[in-house]
Amino acid sequence: DRKREALAAGSPIQPIIKDVGEIYSRLLDHRPVIQGEIRYFVKEFEEKRGLRELRVIQSLKNTIFEAHEHVLPQCEQAMHDSLGEAFQRLQAANGMIHRLQEREHEERKRQADELMAREEKLVAHRQEFMKGQQSKRAEVDEEHRKAMERLKEQYSEMEKELAKNIAF
């Protein structure tokens, strides 16, 4: 702007340039207005907001102190009491579950023992049955052998008689 004014200082255009500069600064150059608004905002924020923030921080400090001094110990005591009771209940439940598991284990063991006894009984019965079958087979074989011998004797006698009858 100063260079323009120096160039146009001796010319008749100087008043026009000066008027254009003023119009420009009023209409298009918003820096002074914005700077004024910024100063006003900062001043209002610091004065009004600063005290309000201080009160809020003080209130938070009081609330935290109250919670630390009074509420926290009460909560700790309530938690300790409740956890103690819950711990006792859990121990009782654990004991009951342990007894149930022992009963179930004993029942399974009893059933396994009964099964083993039945299996042993069946094995003994099967062995006895097989011995009986072997003796019966031996008897049947003996009877078969005797029957075969009788038949041989009978056929040999029949052959002898047939031979006698043929000789006649």
Side-chain angles (χ1 to χ4, degrees):
D1 290 338
R2 291 181 186 170
K3 288 181 182 179
R4 285 185 203 153
E5 287 179 16
L7 290 175
S11 73
I13 298 183
Q14 183 181 7
I16 294 173
I17 293 174
K18 190 176 182 182
D19 289 340
V20 168
E22 283 182 30
I23 291 171
Y24 171 79
S25 66
R26 285 186 179 172
L27 293 177
L28 301 175
D29 190 14
H30 300 296
R31 282 179 281 169
V33 175
I34 291 174
Q35 288 175 352
E37 287 295 321
I38 290 172
R39 279 191 221 106
Y40 175 74
F41 178 77
V42 169
K43 180 182 169 190
E44 287 294 315
F45 184 81
E46 287 176 350
E47 288 177 2
K48 294 181 181 175
R49 180 83 176 168
L51 294 176
R52 188 171 11 144
E53 292 296 321
L54 185 62
R55 285 187 297 237
V56 168
I57 290 174
Q58 187 65 32
S59 173
L60 285 173
K61 178 184 164 193
N62 291 340
T63 304
I64 291 170
F65 180 77
E66 175 77 22
H68 181 69
E69 292 296 319
H70 300 292
V71 176
L72 185 63
Q74 290 174 352
C75 289
E76 285 177 347
Q77 185 61 37
M79 184 178 66
H80 186 338
D81 294 343
S82 297
L83 286 179
E85 183 180 334
F87 183 69
Q88 289 174 351
R89 287 184 181 179
L90 284 174
Q91 283 181 330
N94 192 21
M96 291 170 64
I97 289 171
H98 184 67
R99 286 191 298 274
L100 285 173
Q101 285 177 337
E102 284 179 359
R103 286 181 196 160
E104 185 176 327
H105 178 70
E106 289 172 2
E107 180 64 24
R108 284 184 184 169
K109 185 178 178 184
R110 185 188 61 77
Q111 289 176 354
D113 290 344
E114 286 178 2
L115 184 64
M116 289 293 286
R118 277 188 253 148
E119 191 174 314
E120 288 173 1
K121 187 176 177 182
L122 283 174
V123 167
H125 186 272
R126 182 176 178 273
Q127 288 175 348
E128 191 177 311
F129 176 76
M130 292 305 286
K131 285 179 184 177
Q133 290 299 317
Q134 285 176 351
S135 66
K136 286 180 182 179
R137 187 177 114 210
E139 287 176 15
V140 168
D141 286 346
E142 183 63 27
E143 283 182 30
H144 181 266
R145 188 184 59 76
K146 287 179 184 178
M148 290 291 285
E149 284 178 16
R150 274 185 276 151
L151 283 174
K152 280 183 185 178
E153 287 176 14
Q154 185 180 2
Y155 282 123
S156 89
E157 284 179 22
M158 286 172 81
E159 278 181 19
K160 287 179 188 175
E161 282 186 31
L162 186 61
K164 283 183 193 176
N165 287 335
I166 292 180
F168 279 118

